[in-house]
């Protein structure tokens, strides 16, 4: 019976992907799920901007002392000063340099506190109109000279197809831990692109995550689609000093260039999913990705904390 039911459910999926041909589909979900109110963690203008553009850049939320402590903790995690969980580290293609460290809250009390901070998690809860939990967390590090690019993609396309996230009710928060400028491979986003879902062509290979974490080649739009999106929406580089917070919707098209400057680029990255949007079986893969990429446990609402980190 299940072998018959599962394909029927997928045919009713509002966001089918990994198809024989690429398709453009309208977004079926809200972007901002809460009604703005005076005590909201964002201004009305900021909430409207996130709804319109699919991202928001916020500065001066954290003190210099907090940023300094987070930078030191980041260096310790990637520099071998901490015992890290097996399988949680991804290296750069063709080298042993650290590209990504996953499961930040589980590996660092300071980053656990950051993930629960009202200045981040409180905003995520407001945008999603629900209690939230961490779907995925990681430290991204793009070393000077050799840091490779992250190709254009919608996170939701992968989370939906390979993790089983049913709806577009998740938001990513990226806290810059180094100065990000136009030269050292900052995050680039296409404002307004979150309103269209690009259903990508091609089947999901077995254990696709093993290669996609180093270089994503499946679940990415065609050159023609990216050219059209960029022509319609433009491209914005999310630059800022260390401590800048970049929030973006799960379906916003984004990527980053390689870094050939001497100046490394680093950020702490948290994906907040609505508790009501818990993962199901993958919509476009034979089996789900490992837990370090997508928390499949019973969602537990974050206990949001206030006050300084340090």
């Amino acid at each position: 019976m299940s072998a018959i039911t599962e394909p029927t459910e997928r045919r009713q999926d509002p966001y089918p992907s990994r198809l024989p041909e690429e398709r453009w589909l309208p977004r079926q979900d809200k972007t901002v799920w809460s009604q703005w109110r005076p005590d909201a963690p964002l201004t009305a203008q900021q909430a409207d901007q996130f709804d319109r553009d699919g991202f928001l850049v916020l500065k001066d939320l954290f003190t210099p002392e907090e940023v300094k402590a987070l930078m030191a903790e980041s260096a310790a995690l990637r520099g071998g000063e901490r015992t890290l969980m097996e399988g949680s580290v991804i290296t750069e293609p063709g080298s042993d340099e650290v590209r990504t460290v996953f499961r930040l809250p589980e590996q660092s009390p300071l980053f656990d506190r950051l993930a629960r901070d009202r200045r981040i998690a409180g905003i995520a809860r407001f945008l999603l109109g629900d209690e939230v939990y961490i779907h995925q967390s990681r430290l991204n590090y793009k070393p000077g000279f050799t840091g490779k690019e992250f190709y254009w993609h919608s996170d939701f396309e992968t989370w939906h197809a390979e993790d089983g996230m049913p709806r577009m009710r998740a938001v990513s928060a990226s806290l810059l831990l180094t100065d990000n400028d136009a030269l050292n491979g900052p995050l680039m986003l296409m404002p307004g692109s979150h309103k269209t879902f690009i259903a990508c062509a091609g089947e999901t290979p077995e254990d696709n995550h093993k290669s996609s974490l180093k270089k994503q080649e499946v679940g990415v739009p065609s050159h023609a689609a990216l050219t059209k999106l960029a022509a319609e929406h433009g491209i914005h580089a999310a630059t800022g000093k260390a401590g800048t917070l970049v929030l973006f919707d799960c379906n916003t098209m984004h990527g980053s260039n390689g870094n050939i400057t001497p100046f490394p680029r680093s950020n702490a990255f948290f994906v907040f999913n609505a508790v009501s949007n818990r993962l199901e079986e993958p919509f476009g893969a034979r089996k789900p990705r490992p837990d370090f990429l997508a928390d499949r446990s019973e969602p537990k609402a974050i206990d949001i904390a206030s006050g300084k980190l340090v």
Side-chain angles (χ1 to χ4, degrees), residues 28-300:
Q28 302 292 318
D29 297 304
K30 299 175 184 178
T31 302
V32 177
W33 292 75
S34 295
Q35 186 72 31
W36 187 84
R37 57 189 186 275
D39 63 344
L42 296 175
T43 66
Q45 181 181 7
Q46 289 170 333
D48 288 344
Q49 182 179 344
F50 188 88
D51 189 54
R52 181 191 70 231
D53 294 340
F55 67 89
L56 194 62
V57 179
L58 301 174
K59 301 183 179 182
D60 301 322
L61 293 180
F62 295 88
T63 68
E65 292 76 19
E66 289 175 308
V67 175
K68 183 178 179 180
L70 290 166
M71 292 171 67
E73 183 70 358
S74 169
L77 286 170
R78 69 173 184 268
E81 298 176 35
R82 301 282 189 275
T83 301
L84 300 178
M85 300 170 68
E86 185 177 357
S88 66
V89 178
I90 305 298
T91 57
E92 286 283 349
S95 81
D96 292 328
E97 289 197 81
V98 173
R99 179 181 177 91
T100 307
V101 178
F102 285 94
R103 289 183 161 172
L104 287 185
E106 294 94 327
Q107 309 207 72
S108 165
L110 182 58
F111 278 114
D112 173 65
R113 174 60 179 77
L114 177 65
R116 296 184 291 106
D117 194 273
R118 186 171 300 276
R119 290 165 288 183
I120 298 181
I123 296 176
R125 182 172 62 179
F126 167 76
L127 291 172
L128 300 179
D130 195 357
E131 296 298 325
V132 296
Y133 73 98
I134 297 291
H135 168 72
Q136 183 195 109
S137 64
R138 63 183 187 263
L139 174 69
N140 286 333
Y141 185 66
K142 188 177 290 187
F145 298 116
T146 60
K148 302 301 182 184
E149 75 281 356
F150 288 85
Y151 195 68
W152 291 107
H153 63 284
S154 153
D155 287 329
F156 179 75
E157 195 282 336
T158 295
W159 299 340
H160 186 68
E162 299 187 36
D163 297 338
M165 183 179 288
R167 310 298 299 205
M168 294 182 184
R169 201 169 183 176
V171 63
S172 296
S174 175
L175 184 68
L176 309 190
L177 298 178
T178 54
D179 294 348
N180 282 215
D181 58 33
L183 303 178
N184 66 345
L187 179 68
M188 299 185 296
L189 310 105
M190 296 189 187
S193 60
H194 63 300
K195 298 176 182 178
T196 303
F197 179 69
I198 307 297
C200 297
E203 294 185 358
T204 308
E206 191 78 10
D207 293 328
N208 180 51
H209 68 279
K210 292 181 178 179
S211 59
S212 67
L213 292 176
K214 292 178 179 284
K215 184 178 181 181
Q216 187 167 354
E217 297 180 316
V218 176
V220 297
S222 66
H223 288 179
L226 290 169
T227 299
K228 183 179 179 181
L229 278 176
E232 290 180 0
H233 302 292
I235 297 174
H236 176 84
T239 58
K241 296 291 186 182
T244 298
L245 179 66
V246 183
L247 297 154
F248 58 102
D249 177 79
C250 60
N251 192 47
T252 300
M253 195 64 62
H254 64 286
S256 64
N257 288 321
N259 182 18
I260 62 171
T261 75
F263 313 113
R265 193 216 75 172
S266 180
N267 66 287
F269 186 86
F270 302 97
V271 179
F272 296 94
N273 190 27
V275 168
S276 59
N277 197 38
R278 67 173 301 173
L279 303 186
E280 303 175 3
E281 289 303 306
F283 289 86
R286 292 181 178 87
K287 63 180 181 180
R289 299 192 299 172
D291 287 348
F292 75 90
L293 293 172
D295 185 358
R296 306 193 68 82
S297 63
E298 182 73 25
K300 296 180 181 178

